[in-house]
Amino acid sequence: MRIVANSLHDEVATSLREEIFAGTLAPGSFLDEAALCERLAISRTPLREALKVLTAEGLLRHEPRRGCFVAEVTERDLDEIFPVIALLEGRCAWEAARNASDADIATLEGLHDKLVKHAAAKRITAYYATNLVIHEAIITLADNRWLAQTIGDLRKILKLARLQQLNAPGRLAQSLSEHLAVFAALKARDSDGAEAAMRTHLHRQREALRAVALQQKSRLAS
């Protein structure tokens, strides 16, 4: 499909970003500029502008004289990012508990009801999607554009790995329990409790990803 837009490179970046998140462009894979230009029916200029955007976001890495490759999230990356995003999203939860109206709490309650149903049915993809909506709702309630912008940048990197953590044994039930703890604090308008619960939730996500990585290594070694 030919991409047509007022800001062509933005649409190209969006298209490639979605392919990276979907795994169509796999971690470590080389981006063949000529092939991409042909497939997207665009010239080199908007493609290269799009590649610069994705490189700045950390989704691609550029190697001189070789070109662009899809970024691979390392264990060190995760160790460095998760403490930061736990602080940021914890602060969002703190602000959200102060700002949330009764209508906002009712909306969050409906989302958590969906989360419970998805967890019970072990619908991991649907659970993850609802989980993301809840996080976004809390960030919106915090009403701090600098927090939202910084978290958004980090999430683009974590999105390459975060879904995997729900496959760790017992993680789905644990994640649900953590989310319900955050919601209980928000409903009680307990800012400190909401912040602590959100930080715990993010730190445990990192632990779960580490467990998944160890399982994968063990399988490869056996």
Side-chain angles (χ1 to χ4, degrees):
M1 179 182 295
R2 182 179 178 80
I3 298 174
V4 179
N6 292 330
S7 184
L8 187 55
H9 78 271
D10 285 339
E11 290 219 358
V12 174
T14 297
S15 178
L16 295 177
R17 189 183 296 114
E18 289 173 353
E19 290 188 24
I20 290 169
F21 290 154
T24 306
L25 292 174
S29 62
F30 171 67
L31 272 67
D32 185 324
E33 291 189 14
L36 284 172
C37 286
E38 183 177 355
R39 176 160 67 86
L40 299 174
I42 56 174
S43 66
R44 287 284 179 112
T45 299
L47 175 63
R48 286 177 174 171
E49 289 301 313
L51 297 181
K52 288 178 184 177
V53 170
L54 298 178
T55 300
E57 292 178 359
L59 298 180
L60 300 178
R61 73 174 191 276
H62 180 263
E63 297 186 10
R65 296 181 297 280
R66 293 192 65 198
C68 287
F69 297 79
V70 178
E72 298 174 90
V73 180
T74 67
E75 289 297 304
R76 177 175 176 175
D77 291 330
L78 297 176
D79 285 339
E80 292 176 347
I81 292 172
F82 265 97
V84 177
I85 203 164
L87 286 171
L88 297 173
E89 291 208 40
R91 181 64 187 185
C92 282
W94 192 93
E95 298 281 2
R98 293 177 50 133
N99 296 339
S101 66
D102 289 344
D104 294 326
I105 294 298
T107 298
L108 285 172
E109 188 162 23
L111 289 170
H112 283 83
D113 287 344
K114 289 183 179 179
L115 207 63
V116 169
K117 291 176 182 176
H118 292 321
K122 292 183 169 43
R123 294 189 292 261
I124 290 180
T125 301
Y127 181 97
Y128 178 76
T130 303
N131 165 75
L132 182 60
V133 172
I134 290 171
H135 279 270
E136 291 292 344
I138 292 171
I139 292 167
T140 298
L141 286 173
D143 195 26
N144 183 320
R145 67 188 179 95
W146 300 108
L147 276 175
Q149 179 178 312
T150 308
I151 291 169
D153 290 342
L154 292 175
R155 276 190 169 201
K156 288 171 183 172
I157 306 302
L158 292 184
K159 194 171 181 179
L160 300 175
R162 187 176 286 185
L163 181 59
Q164 299 173 21
Q165 52 96 13
L166 293 173
N167 291 306
R171 177 56 192 156
L172 191 61
Q174 185 186 56
S175 173
L176 177 62
S177 176
E178 292 158 14
H179 260 289
L180 293 176
V182 174
F183 177 63
L186 290 170
K187 191 173 183 178
R189 307 304 199 279
D190 177 3
S191 289
D192 290 340
E195 180 175 24
M198 183 61 82
R199 287 191 185 185
T200 295
H201 176 52
L202 270 297
H203 285 303
R204 286 182 178 167
Q205 282 188 9
R206 175 64 191 113
E207 292 169 7
L209 279 171
R210 188 177 288 111
V212 170
L214 288 173
Q215 286 176 346
Q216 291 174 342
K217 285 182 181 178
S218 178
R219 282 197 296 267
L220 289 173
S222 61

